[in-house]
Amino acid sequence: MTSGARFTVALIGASGLLGRAVADELASAASARQWRIVRTARSRVDAQSIKLDLLDHDAVRAFLRDCAPDAIVVAAAERRPDICENDPPRARALNVDALSVISTEARSIGAWVLSISTDYVFDGTAPPYFPDDAPAPLNAYGQSKLDGERALLAGDPASCVLRLPLLYGPFSDWNESAVTSLTPAIVKSADPSNPPAPMDAWATRYPTFTPDVAVVIRGMLEHHASGATISGITQWSGDEPMTKFDIAQRIARVLNVNAKLAAQRTPTDATPRPRDCHLDSGRLEALGIGRRTPFDTAIAGLLARYPDVPCQ
């Protein structure tokens, strides 16, 4: 980008858990960089965003041609494993077909695409995973995201995938993240009349704070804007391993409640999930990109913002 030029970023899925954090991070310094941020949303549309349904391919093409962005961040997806397992065609429509349309259109207008993917492209048997390790998804969600990665890079090899693990951050609903969704059951279990809350103690996760991911994405966009485009597969992850049982214990400490938690030592989910998909973040770290907020610090700050916890 030449000095003084206007750099336009299309943020697709700006109303979601990650999209909101990215929108806030980009907006906080957009004026200083002379960046223009164009946000889209499907259902939670506000005055700052444009309504866009990724299943409407003609609308997607028209939006991109009208917006003419320099870069496109795709934060929209079907990310619920159980939904993907029960409705594979919908998962493919959102996670593969829509991304293929975006990739093809982006290449025709000269836009760089950064698409969000998942650690679930791996089977969780041999961590840590590097970007060039062979994927082996265990469920329809992981397969759809892997197929989306391949569709994107086949459409434009200069584009980029950012794989992420379990996310949490400022939320609009307790169930928006698998981290904060544990909180109501934790609080309920503290009532002496209630039984212990069952919590998975089998799978190791790496909770990653969405404002930190937003800093990573801003850094990647800055590289592209400066002419040092990052292409191919990249990964970012929190570095604190913990099961949902561990997460629940930490949340209970922050809330200062005497929670009764029952550790589940074997898988109980109907949809198969990997045991440990720790992602190596070395490629981005080597570029000086990244930030990690300690989990206890981040979750304490989050819960202080939402003092009224509903009991399930």
Side-chain angles (χ1 to χ4, degrees), residues 7 9 20 23 52 111 118-119 144 159 174 182 188 253 292 294:
F7 184 75
V9 179
R20 293 194 305 272
L52 182 66
T118 175
D119 57 346
S144 71
S159 58
W174 289 95
L182 306 177
K188 185 177 180 180
R253 283 199 297 270
R292 291 185 178 93

Side-chain angles (χ1 to χ4, degrees), residues 34-53:
Q34 296 184 315
W35 285 14
R36 170 176 168 248
I37 314 302
V38 182
R39 311 178 188 188
T40 81
R42 183 181 64 84
S43 56
R44 292 176 288 191
V45 182
D46 59 21
Q48 295 180 302
S49 59
I50 296 170
K51 184 175 179 62
L52 182 66
D53 184 350

Side-chain angles (χ1 to χ4, degrees), residues 178-190 195-203 242-252 259-269 312:
V179 170
T180 55
S181 68
L182 306 177
T183 310
I186 294 167
V187 173
K188 185 177 180 180
S189 77
M199 294 288 167
D200 178 69
W202 176 79
M242 60 189 84
T243 65
K244 285 189 177 180
F245 181 79
D246 299 326
I247 293 170
Q249 288 183 313
R250 292 181 180 222
I251 290 175
K260 301 188 299 294
L261 307 175
Q264 298 177 314
R265 306 290 180 183
T266 57
T268 59
D269 291 305
Q312 293 176 335

Side-chain angles (χ1 to χ4, degrees), residues 48-66:
Q48 295 180 302
S49 59
I50 296 170
K51 184 175 179 62
L52 182 66
D53 184 350
L54 291 185
L55 299 181
D56 186 340
H57 295 173
D58 288 340
V60 172
R61 294 186 185 99
F63 164 74
L64 292 176
R65 290 170 190 168
D66 180 65

Side-chain angles (χ1 to χ4, degrees), residues 29 34 38-39 41 62 66 82 86 92 95 110 127-128 150 155 160 164 229 253 260 267 277 286 293:
Q34 296 184 315
V38 182
R39 311 178 188 188
D66 180 65
D82 292 341
N86 294 325
R92 181 171 184 85
N95 296 348
R150 290 171 172 168
C160 188
L164 301 170
T229 298
R253 283 199 297 270
K260 301 188 299 294
C277 288
T293 303

Side-chain angles (χ1 to χ4, degrees), residues 78-240:
E78 177 52 73
R79 61 179 181 81
R80 297 166 294 179
D82 292 341
I83 298 296
C84 292
E85 205 71 20
N86 294 325
D87 192 354
R90 175 178 171 79
R92 181 171 184 85
L94 282 169
N95 296 348
V96 185
D97 298 341
L99 199 54
S100 182
V101 170
I102 291 170
S103 175
T104 300
E105 193 62 34
R107 189 171 187 176
S108 71
I109 62 176
W112 178 66
V113 181
L114 171 59
S115 180
I116 305 304
S117 190
T118 175
D119 57 346
Y120 273 28
V121 300
F122 297 112
D123 63 11
T125 60
Y129 289 97
F130 293 82
D132 57 354
D133 284 340
L138 295 180
N139 54 41
Y141 168 61
Q143 186 63 55
S144 71
K145 294 300 287 183
L146 176 60
D147 291 344
E149 292 182 5
R150 290 171 172 168
L152 173 69
L153 296 174
D156 186 0
S159 58
C160 188
V161 168
L162 175 61
R163 292 174 179 156
L164 301 170
L166 173 65
L167 298 178
Y168 72 103
F171 54 89
S172 61
D173 180 272
W174 289 95
N175 290 321
E176 201 171 14
S177 163
V179 170
T180 55
S181 68
L182 306 177
T183 310
I186 294 167
V187 173
K188 185 177 180 180
S189 77
D191 186 327
S193 65
N194 291 327
M199 294 288 167
D200 178 69
W202 176 79
T204 299
R205 311 298 295 272
Y206 296 81
T208 303
F209 196 39
T210 53
D212 291 345
V213 178
V215 169
V216 169
I217 290 173
R218 174 175 55 80
M220 297 175 75
L221 288 166
E222 287 173 343
H223 268 67
H224 177 68
S226 70
T229 298
I230 303 169
S231 302
I233 304 292
T234 60
Q235 302 179 156
W236 186 258
S237 174
D239 59 0
E240 298 175 82

